[in-house]
Amino acid sequence: MALYDIDQDGTKELILSHGTCLADWVNDIYTLKDGKYVSQIGTIGSQGMFYTAPDGNGIYFLYGFQGYQEINRITKSGENITETLIESRELGANENYTEFDNKIELLTPDSIPTGNATSTYNVQVTAPDGGVNMRCGAGVEYDKVLPDMIPNGTVLTVTQEAVASNGNSWGYTNYNGTYGWIALTQVTKYEEPTEGAPIPHTRYVINCNESITLRTNPDVNAAEICQIPLGTAVATFGDAGNGFISVYYQGSSGYCLASYLSAPVD
């Protein structure tokens, strides 16, 4: 696979080359429609080499086999791909296949740009609605890639983060072989419990107007760590005294008053 902006509009097209042999090898071209929907816009047959067109207009595709070569220019206009024959001929004696400057290199899976990369970590779905939707982009404006929500209790691995237009954080993950984005406000970080460690339980913020306070110690006068919005799911680890419960929320551990949290839901 390779990434190259064929029409220089700021969006790189994906060239995905695949097949089992020369006879069935194809190169599919994908782009982003409206900046967010993946759309296949063309296919170029056979194995070959891709180059930046010398005059900057599109790309060149060179096919060579048993002393014959064919060069085509690939251009893109909107969502349309046009293939124009530049050359088709038998090579002369001792003549090499044509090469151009600026070869479009194939990418290995670990070299594909991923945007805002982050350390891989696990999360558990703990959403008030019973699950979280997976979408094709980081934001509620993107289409769902699964018809049903990923249910509460599911542990997922987040490999990348992005910030939506409203400022909320989203994570890129895989669920049963389907890849997409989930809202990180609907999950909590998850770590395998060690032997003898307290077992976390999911509770929801209730009995408040907007949010409750996560504090550094089980005391109403302790310093504030952050506010936890009404309806948010948190991981709790039992009674901490003074009417407080030990709480873990979005990477922070602290204490909240038990009267503002629901009964355990797991």
Side-chain angles (χ1 to χ4, degrees), residues 1-259:
M1 66 182 70
L3 291 170
Y4 184 76
D5 188 354
I6 297 175
D7 57 352
Q8 303 301 308
D9 66 347
T11 298
K12 290 184 178 181
E13 278 65 53
L14 171 66
I15 304 171
L16 182 61
S17 302
H18 60 96
T20 60
C21 64
L22 186 63
D24 67 1
W25 199 270
V26 294
N27 306 279
D28 296 326
I29 301 178
Y30 296 84
T31 193
L32 287 179
K33 182 179 179 181
D34 299 328
K36 57 184 178 181
Y37 303 111
V38 177
S39 175
Q40 183 178 350
I41 58 175
T43 296
I44 304 168
S46 70
Q47 291 179 330
M49 302 298 299
F50 288 95
Y51 297 90
T52 299
D55 62 1
N57 181 19
I59 59 178
Y60 274 9
F61 177 68
L62 187 148
Y63 165 76
F65 183 68
Q66 293 184 347
Y68 165 82
Q69 78 172 18
E70 183 176 292
I71 302 172
N72 285 274
R73 184 197 299 272
I74 313 300
T75 56
K76 174 179 175 285
S77 178
E79 295 178 28
N80 298 313
I81 287 292
T82 301
E83 191 170 354
T84 304
L85 182 64
I86 301 296
E87 178 181 283
S88 176
R89 67 183 179 91
E90 296 286 341
L91 299 181
N94 300 318
E95 183 181 4
N96 293 324
Y97 291 109
T98 301
E99 290 187 1
F100 298 92
D101 293 334
N102 300 322
K103 178 182 174 183
I104 299 173
E105 298 286 353
L106 296 180
L107 299 172
T108 59
D110 59 359
S111 67
I112 298 174
T114 56
N116 298 326
T118 186
S119 299
T120 298
Y121 60 90
N122 293 332
V123 297
Q124 185 173 32
V125 181
T126 53
D129 294 336
V132 62
N133 286 310
M134 177 180 279
R135 299 182 182 272
C136 64
V140 294
E141 67 270 25
Y142 292 94
D143 288 342
K144 300 175 185 177
V145 296
L146 292 173
D148 301 316
M149 292 191 295
I150 302 172
N152 278 357
T154 304
V155 176
L156 303 168
T157 300
V158 173
T159 58
Q160 181 183 347
E161 288 184 2
V163 178
S165 57
N166 63 359
N168 288 338
S169 294
W170 286 65
Y172 189 72
T173 189
N174 166 32
Y175 177 64
N176 291 340
T178 299
Y179 290 82
W181 295 86
I182 59 171
L184 295 182
T185 56
Q186 306 300 298
V187 300
T188 54
K189 285 193 175 181
Y190 175 84
E191 294 182 3
E192 289 288 345
T194 57
E195 186 175 353
I199 299 175
H201 295 283
T202 300
R203 300 174 189 256
Y204 293 97
V205 176
I206 60 174
N207 300 332
C208 67
N209 292 326
E210 294 182 358
S211 63
I212 64 173
T213 303
L214 181 68
R215 299 187 182 277
T216 55
N217 291 294
D219 189 306
V220 293
N221 296 314
E224 175 184 324
I225 297 173
C226 65
Q227 291 291 307
I228 306 177
L230 175 66
T232 300
V234 297
T236 62
F237 295 87
D239 186 4
N242 292 339
F244 282 81
I245 288 181
S246 176
V247 171
Y248 182 86
Y249 171 67
Q250 291 191 346
S252 298
S253 296
Y255 303 89
C256 294
L257 283 168
S259 57

